Amino acid sequence: MIIYSWNVNGIRSAIQKGFAEWFEKMDPDILCLQEVRAEEEQIPEEIRNFPGYNSFWTACQKKKGYSGVGIYSKIQPEAVNQGFGIKEFDEEGRVSQLVFPDWVLNSIYFPNGSQSNERLDYKLRFYDAFLENSLMWLSQGKHVVTVGDYNTCHKEIDIARPQENEKNSGFLPIERAWMDKYAENGFVDSFRVLHPTQKDTYTWWSNRGNARGNNVGWRIDYAFVDEGLKDCITNASVHPEVMMSDHCPISIELEVPFPPIVR
């Protein structure tokens, strides 16, 4: 099973740059999008209901043209959740969750904490609500796969200039400590499982100073899975050649069927 994830920084902009052609060529089993920045009815019909896929969209309820996530899936889920059931987090349209018989898939656009201390606090509380939700599914015997823009670089190897950014949101010690906590609770970074020492691999670049051309980037887009799926990871890749957004897509390939969770 091949899953792609991509912060498109506006689906309508990506459509104009060749999104449909790219999607058709990749032909993944599942494609998760973040920062869609559109109401469902604003997405052209041929993109909203892409041939061969079920599609699910979650828009921001507070502000038009902000946030938003979506999932295209060839596999029909048992249920679809648009959040964690917590209003302050769900109303920003950051979560699309598909529930399958033996696993749960999250497409999440995690908050950015750079605007203010209040937003940093919101980001950290969102992280905790997400972790609690993930552990709940594990306790029910379901595996958990979470792809998306986490808006934090976990390790120094994940950012081009760690020393210069240690006081900036996205690489603050408190944010990275939460990533440590996430891993300690039984979730693994699929890319690092297969590429533990690979350097200079990023998923987001600033639009300033030719950052992408110079590969001065951040790896903030991840595909984490619970430890029970670690041996199912057959491929995990980053695709910087895809240029339609300031983020590039990531992908993960998982061997199915998934093993039962051992308690």
Side-chain angles (χ1 to χ4, degrees):
M1 178 170 58
I2 299 174
I3 302 171
Y4 270 73
S5 177
W6 190 11
N7 179 322
V8 291
N9 193 15
I11 185 67
R12 288 171 289 181
S13 174
I15 291 168
Q16 295 176 358
K17 298 173 183 176
F19 170 80
E21 293 79 4
W22 172 85
F23 187 11
E24 185 175 17
K25 181 179 180 181
M26 294 302 101
D27 190 34
D29 296 296
I30 298 174
L31 170 62
C32 297
L33 303 179
Q34 302 86 41
E35 205 169 357
V36 172
R37 293 170 55 187
E39 304 294 314
E40 186 172 346
E41 61 270 17
Q42 293 178 307
I43 304 170
E45 169 66 23
E46 65 273 16
I47 300 297
R48 185 168 71 247
N49 296 307
F50 209 83
Y53 291 87
N54 307 288
S55 61
F56 310 93
W57 303 94
T58 304
C60 180
Q61 301 168 26
K62 295 176 67 177
K63 183 168 62 175
K64 291 186 180 296
Y66 177 73
S67 191
V69 293
I71 302 179
Y72 295 97
S73 177
K74 292 181 178 179
I75 313 163
Q76 181 68 45
E78 292 183 330
V80 181
N81 299 319
Q82 294 183 316
F84 310 133
I86 302 172
K87 182 181 178 181
E88 69 165 324
F89 301 133
D90 297 350
E91 65 186 2
E92 290 200 1
R94 295 183 174 276
V95 179
S96 186
Q97 182 179 81
L98 305 190
V99 182
F100 299 100
D102 56 350
W103 67 296
V104 172
L105 171 69
N106 296 305
S107 174
I108 302 185
Y109 176 38
F110 289 87
N112 187 313
S114 64
Q115 296 98 328
S116 64
N117 289 334
E118 290 76 18
R119 285 303 289 182
L120 177 60
D121 177 68
Y122 178 90
K123 176 181 182 177
L124 295 172
R125 289 187 291 108
F126 185 102
Y127 275 155
D128 285 340
F130 157 68
L131 178 56
E132 182 177 349
N133 182 269
S134 297
L135 293 175
M136 179 271 291
W137 288 115
L138 285 181
S139 73
Q140 294 186 14
K142 291 184 185 290
H143 292 288
V144 178
V145 177
T146 302
V147 299
D149 177 359
Y150 282 65
N151 254 315
T152 295
C153 290
H154 188 192
K155 305 288 187 180
E156 287 195 358
I157 195 174
D158 297 321
I159 187 168
R161 295 175 177 172
Q163 286 75 31
E164 294 179 21
N165 287 288
E166 59 186 9
K167 294 184 179 180
N168 294 327
S169 182
F171 199 60
L172 293 173
I174 193 170
E175 296 167 315
R176 297 172 62 202
W178 184 88
M179 298 289 281
D180 290 337
K181 177 182 176 181
Y182 183 38
E184 289 163 3
N185 272 274
F187 298 93
V188 297
D189 175 353
S190 61
F191 184 80
R192 287 296 173 215
V193 169
L194 299 186
H195 312 285
T197 61
Q198 184 169 321
K199 299 180 179 180
D200 304 321
T201 302
Y202 310 119
T203 65
W204 175 80
W205 300 262
S206 169
N207 289 319
R208 301 176 181 176
N210 194 30
R212 192 160 190 168
N214 294 320
N215 199 29
V216 180
W218 302 44
R219 192 170 75 94
I220 56 176
D221 302 84
Y222 296 95
F224 271 83
V225 304
D226 66 87
E227 288 182 339
L229 291 181
K230 186 175 181 179
D231 292 339
C232 296
I233 304 168
T234 57
N235 192 17
S237 301
V238 174
H239 304 276
E241 72 281 359
V242 182
M243 303 288 289
M244 288 174 269
S245 167
D246 53 352
H247 293 249
C248 74
I250 63 171
S251 63
I252 178 174
E253 185 171 348
L254 297 168
E255 185 178 9
V256 292
F258 296 153
I261 291 179
V262 179
R263 303 188 196 180

